[in-house]
Structures are given as C-alpha cells and as structure tokens.
Amino acid sequence: MQSLDRALGVLTSVARFERASLSDLAREIGVPTATTHRILTTLQKHGYVTFDDERQEWMIGIEAYRTGASFLRRNSVLEIGRPILRRLMQDSGETANLAVPDGREVVFVGQVETSNPIRAFFPPGARTPMYASGTGKAILAAMKEAALGKLLKSADLTKFTDSTLASEEMLLRDLSETRARGWSHDREERYEGMSCIGAAIYNDKGEPCAGISVSGPTVRFDDVRATDLAELVVQAAQEITYLSGGQGPDQSDLSDG
C-alpha cells in the first residue's frame, strides 16, 4: 500500500503544479528522486502523466482527465449547474464559477467567463483555501459549528494580501456576517484588485456541498452593486440546490444545538 500511497501523492502533486520537474516533485512528496522517477514512468505508461522533453517537465495525462471527467458526469450539481452558470454570467456581466470543497480548500470545477476584457479566471481544477475564497467562505458559513471548528483547528491561515482574513477571530466575524445575509463577499482576500460574491449549494441532508459565485475586478464590486450581484448568486445557488434534490437548512439549524 505504501507504493500506491506514493503514486497517488505524485499524481496529486503533478496536478497541483500543472508542470513540474522531477526534482521539484521528489522534494514536494519527500520521496527519493529515483523512486519518484519510477512512479512517474509507471503513471506515464498508463497515460496518467506525460513528459515534456523540451522543458523536462511532467504534466497530467489524458487518463487522469478521463478519470476526473467521470466524476463531473456523475455529479448532478455540476451537470445541473452548467446552464445556470451561463445564465448567471449573462445576467451579472461577470465571470461565474462553481466550486466543490476538498478538505480545507475549494476546487473550481466549472466556470463561464464574461466577455469583459478585464475579468477573473480560474482554470478547471484550480484550488484555493476556503477562507480566502467567495465560494469557500459561503461553504464555511453554512457548515455546522462542530464541523467548522474541526476544520479551522487544522487550518493554516496564510496571508495572501493585506485584506486576507488571516486570524480566526476575523474569519469567524466575517462568517457570522455571511451567515446572517446568506452570501459571502471576498474583498481582495486572495488576489489584489479582484473581488467575489458567493453562495452555498446544499445536498439532500441540508449540508453545503458546493458553492457558486461571480468574480471580477473590485472596481465593479462596490457595495451597491455587490448587493445586486448577491441577489443573482443566491438565486442561482437556490435553483441548483432545488434541481439537484438538495434542501437549504434553516438558519437555526446551522448549530449543533
């Protein structure tokens, strides 16, 4: 099982880096270079990674894409969300995003870009910490207290910008405001000059299972417009929740009592 664990670690690291040298990968997972190379060549044989001879870098292969595509096909939230994402982009004029939680991060699995020349862009599979993301903060705010406390206990609140909520006190205060109004507001907390409005999507148990958002330049996200954008985002989140068989919990149900 150790060899399988190492292979999955290598594959995950290749996906995170998008392009990486052998030495970088070996250092990332803490495995000798020779062992890492054997793992990579085995993954390459099965199509899960590929090697760029010119740049001497490893990348994700077609079989890894096919595996991920299988997840996308079976997830009703993602399937149902595609046309709603497009409509949200058209109604808001901003890039619309769909993300799912994975540990302490959110992974962007769907996006429809606006035609505005200055816009936000997150490639499919991109990850960001939940506390520094519009979709992530919406999901955190919708979690029950016990689950939220457990997640935050192990979180490393790295500061990305001057606006990042890099202390638990600041983050909890923001999540309380998010919970009260029903939508999150990322004010340049991950990237300078970029803002985001997000809302949670729920499963059939009333638990947050995904998040939807619009993102773009902060100059287009002033307080007045943020409220208008939030109305569109919340409506989209509620529609995806309903059509996928989910149910949004009452605010009073968010604590474990």
Side-chain angles (χ1 to χ4, degrees), residues 89 92-95 113-120 215 217 220 225:
M89 182 279 292
S92 67
E94 303 294 347
T95 295
E113 287 187 80
T114 177
S115 58
N116 276 314
I118 303 176
R119 58 186 182 271
S215 52
R220 297 205 297 260
R225 188 161 186 259

Side-chain angles (χ1 to χ4, degrees), residues 11-250:
L11 186 61
T12 300
S13 295
V14 173
R16 284 179 182 273
F17 282 118
E18 294 188 2
R19 283 178 168 270
S21 67
L22 173 61
S23 58
D24 286 341
L25 290 170
R27 187 165 47 251
E28 173 71 12
I29 64 174
V31 173
T33 303
T35 303
T36 303
H37 187 262
R38 286 197 298 271
I39 292 171
L40 285 166
T41 54
T42 300
L43 291 172
Q44 182 184 33
K45 177 182 176 182
H46 293 280
Y48 282 90
V49 298
T50 185
F51 186 64
D52 185 331
D53 290 302
E54 183 176 343
R55 298 179 60 170
Q56 295 290 293
E57 291 176 330
W58 292 90
M59 302 171 292
I60 283 294
I62 188 65
E63 286 303 323
Y65 169 78
R66 287 176 179 152
T67 301
S70 176
F71 169 78
L72 296 179
R73 286 193 299 270
R74 76 168 176 80
N75 193 306
S76 62
V77 167
L78 305 181
E79 188 66 31
I80 289 167
R82 288 191 183 98
I84 296 172
L85 269 182
R86 180 161 297 280
R87 190 179 70 230
L88 178 59
M89 182 279 292
Q90 293 170 341
D91 292 345
S92 67
E94 303 294 347
T95 295
N97 317 285
L98 191 64
V100 295
D102 183 24
R104 297 187 296 273
E105 299 176 312
V106 286
V107 181
F108 290 91
V109 295
Q111 183 180 77
V112 179
E113 287 187 80
T114 177
S115 58
N116 276 314
I118 303 176
R119 58 186 182 271
F121 174 71
F122 305 100
R127 293 170 172 267
T128 194
M130 295 179 80
Y131 69 89
S133 158
T135 52
K137 292 200 300 178
I139 292 169
L140 288 175
M143 293 173 66
K144 294 188 176 184
E145 288 181 7
L148 175 61
K150 183 178 179 180
L151 189 149
L152 292 182
K153 187 176 181 180
S154 60
D156 178 17
L157 302 179
T158 301
K159 195 172 183 66
F160 297 104
T161 72
D162 290 340
S163 301
T164 303
L165 304 176
S167 77
E168 188 170 324
E169 181 182 357
M170 293 170 60
L171 178 60
L172 288 175
R173 184 162 55 246
D174 183 273
L175 294 180
S176 179
E177 294 173 0
T178 295
R179 192 176 299 114
R181 68 186 174 220
W183 51 274
S184 65
H185 193 172
D186 164 10
R187 300 175 174 88
E188 302 189 5
E189 292 157 35
R190 182 63 176 88
Y191 299 105
E192 294 282 358
M194 303 301 291
S195 291
C196 178
I197 302 291
I201 296 166
Y202 297 89
N203 62 19
D204 59 347
K205 297 178 182 178
E207 301 165 337
C209 62
I212 191 168
S213 67
V214 291
S215 52
T218 298
V219 293
R220 297 205 297 260
F221 280 64
D222 59 66
D223 289 342
V224 174
R225 188 161 186 259
T227 302
D228 294 336
L229 291 172
E231 185 176 345
L232 296 173
V233 172
V234 170
Q235 182 180 359
Q238 291 175 341
E239 187 174 357
I240 295 174
T241 295
Y242 174 76
L243 292 176
S244 62
Q247 55 179 359
D250 295 332

